Amino acid sequence: MRTLITGEALARIFEACGARVFRANYQGDVGPHVAKAIWGIEKIFQERAIPWKQAQKLNVQEKARLLGEGYVRGNQEYEQQKDRIDELNRKLYERAKDTMSIYKKTRTWSLDYFDSIYKRFGTRFDKLYFESEVADRGKKIVLKNRGNIFQESNGAVIFEGEKYGLHTRVFITQDGHPTYEGKEMGLAPMQYKDFPFDLNIHVVASEQSAYFQVVFKALELIDEKFKGRECHLSMGMVQLVGKKMSSRTGVVITIDHLLSEIKTLLSRLIKNEGLTPAEQKRIQEIGAIAAVKYSMLRVDPKADVMFDLKSSVSLEGDSGPYLLYTYARCKSILRKAKFRISNVGFRSHKEHFSKEELDILRLAYRFEEIVREAAEKFEPNLICGFAFDLAQTYNTFYHSHSVLQAETKEKQEFRLLLTAAVAQVISNSLSLLGIQTLEKM
């Protein structure tokens, strides 16, 4: 979830700075994890007497939950059923006819669920790449360069990373299957053909840093054009405060469950007077997504995140809902004043600015500078910090000065303009982070 959120924010930030961006996702639709999941699914269906026709009628979330249960079951029984699960893995790689029916069904279940998550989080991809389509390509490229870049070792094909200050990794197993590393050799040329990139940023967890160092070195030795064009944004891990997870044992917290918990917390905080049920539902959904996204993005991508449900929905702290609330406050003031910038003559504010007004002006004008810095450093957290500072500064002003009941018409017009500007800059900031705004809250 964090890599999805960060990748989308970076894509928007790069585009705002004038870059042409190609959004891609690389998905693991073949390999031991798939074999384990399918093995487990078949076991579960046998034990519960679930026919496939019945399973196909389940909704997207229910199918995804079954896949998760299957994966856990396959993991738990792997040591006892290693030969059978490995055989299933081999058949899936070779696309054996007796495995393709269940493979295609469960693959579709998985992709449908991912698609629902992408839509919910407001992201899209120009292309999805799959391990199954790059596996043979990668294997052929590795074998073509065997004896030169890659070496044989005990029946496997390896890359001797020690020669380059890295470590040795297997690219083709003794069974003849390309590893993740081997598949990357087929992925990169395919991506470059689709979109001749200046820079390919892999938004992936920090635990894969050593992996990418080896992969990038092998790629540039195969083809010099990849030198300096492949980059790993080493993402920190996420810890949920008060919760522990393990996909191997089945102790997991799904995105759906997490958002549901946040919605419950928000419903207790937000007043519903004057809101229709549809408006309440929309506020809770947008607020929950804002809470999660902002909590992930406010921290440097390279650092670990401690995600706390309660602080993520705070209407007074450094949170997504707090920014939504400030934006909604600004829009409420503008509605009450029936304010339109187009109807205001831009007269100079002859009276002295208050300290609070000056603080807003000194901060708001830095927006473009902050966006540019965020793009250069791959750090959406800079925009989060800026938006939070602006919201805090505006709220300090709001509690010290009246906008609608200003002493003079000139002051009122200026403060309304200031309020409109703050609303616009907060909206722009949130948009770059992939967060929708709310007119009422």
Side-chain angles (χ1 to χ4, degrees):
M1 183 175 67
R2 189 185 185 193
T3 57
L4 179 76
I5 290 168
T6 304
E8 175 61 27
L10 285 173
R12 293 179 181 219
I13 292 167
F14 295 146
E15 286 171 335
C17 291
R20 184 181 169 209
V21 177
F22 185 85
R23 291 166 167 83
N25 201 6
Y26 179 44
Q27 305 194 167
D29 65 338
V30 69
H33 64 293
V34 176
K36 290 175 182 178
I38 290 178
W39 169 267
I41 280 282
E42 290 186 311
K43 282 287 185 182
I44 290 170
F45 278 20
Q46 289 171 10
E47 292 171 359
R48 300 179 189 175
I50 301 175
W52 273 100
K53 283 187 178 180
Q54 179 183 330
Q56 289 290 70
K57 295 178 182 178
L58 297 173
N59 64 37
V60 171
Q61 286 74 26
E62 290 170 333
K63 289 174 180 176
R65 194 155 46 244
L66 270 177
L67 283 176
E69 288 183 43
Y71 174 69
V72 171
R73 183 68 177 272
N75 250 322
Q76 291 172 339
E77 297 193 8
Y78 182 67
E79 293 304 320
Q80 293 77 29
Q81 304 290 342
K82 185 178 185 303
D83 290 343
R84 292 184 178 182
I85 294 176
D86 286 348
E87 173 66 10
L88 176 58
N89 187 42
R90 181 188 66 77
K91 284 185 170 184
L92 290 171
Y93 267 111
E94 295 173 358
R95 305 185 71 79
K97 289 184 179 179
D98 61 337
T99 64
M100 283 299 98
S101 177
I102 187 172
Y103 170 76
K104 289 178 180 178
K105 288 173 184 174
T106 51
R107 183 180 187 271
T108 299
W109 290 7
S110 179
L111 291 176
D112 287 346
Y113 181 69
F114 273 115
D115 193 48
S116 72
I117 295 297
Y118 301 152
K119 289 176 181 175
R120 197 169 185 185
F121 278 81
T123 194
R124 62 176 177 79
F125 292 102
D126 296 297
K127 185 167 183 179
L128 300 178
Y129 295 90
F130 297 96
E131 284 188 45
S132 61
E133 67 179 338
V134 301
D136 287 341
R137 295 169 184 256
K139 182 178 178 179
K140 288 177 183 177
I141 290 172
V142 172
L143 292 177
K144 182 180 178 181
N145 289 276
R146 182 173 46 184
N148 178 19
I149 297 170
F150 304 99
Q151 308 299 326
E152 286 195 23
S153 177
N154 298 320
V157 181
I158 65 171
F159 177 76
E160 296 178 331
E162 281 83 358
K163 294 179 181 179
Y164 310 97
L166 305 171
H167 62 275
T168 294
R169 295 187 80 101
V170 176
F171 276 61
I172 299 178
T173 67
Q174 293 175 329
D175 297 329
H177 300 313
T179 59
Y180 289 121
E181 293 87 344
K183 293 167 190 170
E184 294 275 5
M185 301 303 101
L187 174 65
M190 186 183 292
Q191 290 178 327
Y192 191 82
K193 182 180 179 182
D194 291 333
F195 185 75
F197 51 83
D198 296 303
L199 190 64
N200 185 6
I201 304 169
H202 301 257
V203 185
V204 182
S206 57
E207 60 188 0
Q208 302 299 332
S209 293
Y211 162 89
F212 277 113
Q213 288 174 0
V214 172
V215 165
F216 294 165
K217 188 63 183 179
L219 277 174
E220 68 181 48
L221 290 173
I222 292 172
D223 191 334
E224 285 189 356
K225 75 168 175 281
F226 290 112
K227 188 172 184 178
R229 294 193 183 194
E230 299 280 354
C231 169
H232 173 213
L233 177 56
S234 184
M235 296 287 296
M237 304 301 286
V238 178
Q239 298 291 331
L240 298 182
V241 175
K243 299 177 185 289
K244 291 185 179 180
M245 292 196 297
S246 171
S247 60
R248 294 180 182 277
T249 63
V251 181
V252 299
I253 297 168
T254 65
I255 290 175
D256 297 317
H257 180 72
L258 183 67
L259 291 174
S260 179
E261 284 196 59
I262 293 172
K263 281 184 174 183
T264 300
L265 291 173
L266 279 172
S267 67
R268 297 170 186 165
L269 292 172
I270 299 172
K271 297 177 181 179
N272 293 324
E273 290 90 343
L275 298 175
T276 66
E279 287 175 328
Q280 293 175 30
K281 186 176 180 180
R282 183 170 182 271
I283 288 171
Q284 287 180 18
E285 175 68 11
I286 291 176
I289 296 295
V292 171
K293 284 194 172 188
Y294 188 84
S295 293
M296 298 293 164
L297 294 171
R298 64 184 285 271
V299 179
D300 184 326
K302 298 178 286 298
D304 291 344
V305 170
M306 294 298 294
F307 183 82
D308 181 82
L309 269 76
K310 290 183 179 179
S311 63
S312 75
V313 299
S314 171
L315 296 180
E316 298 178 356
D318 189 5
S319 75
Y322 172 75
L323 295 181
L324 294 183
Y325 187 73
T326 303
Y327 174 82
R329 167 177 279 170
C330 291
K331 299 300 283 188
S332 175
I333 292 170
L334 297 172
R335 280 195 303 273
K336 288 177 182 178
K338 297 181 179 178
F339 178 78
R340 296 287 185 275
I341 291 179
S342 59
N343 296 334
V344 176
F346 285 86
R347 299 188 297 269
S348 62
H349 186 5
K350 297 177 182 177
E351 301 174 59
H352 291 296
F353 293 117
S354 68
K355 175 186 180 301
E356 291 78 14
E357 289 169 336
L358 283 172
D359 287 343
I360 293 173
L361 292 169
R362 286 170 176 151
L363 185 58
Y365 91 95
R366 296 190 60 222
F367 174 68
E368 289 189 14
E369 171 192 330
I370 296 295
V371 174
R372 186 168 58 251
E373 186 179 358
E376 291 170 351
K377 295 182 177 180
F378 303 169
E379 294 181 2
N381 55 292
L382 297 177
I383 295 176
C384 292
F386 165 81
F388 176 61
D389 287 345
L390 181 60
Q392 273 197 317
T393 303
Y394 179 80
N395 284 321
T396 298
F397 155 78
Y398 174 81
H399 290 299
S400 302
H401 303 279
S402 174
V403 177
L404 298 178
Q405 303 299 324
E407 299 90 329
T408 65
K409 181 173 176 58
E410 194 173 55
K411 273 190 176 182
Q412 184 193 61
E413 280 190 357
F414 172 73
R415 288 174 182 175
L416 285 169
L417 280 169
L418 197 63
T419 298
V422 168
Q424 186 64 60
V425 175
I426 289 178
S427 175
N428 291 350
S429 299
L430 291 176
S431 178
L432 291 177
L433 301 175
I435 298 173
Q436 295 183 64
T437 54
L438 290 165
E439 298 290 311
K440 297 178 182 179
M441 193 169 172

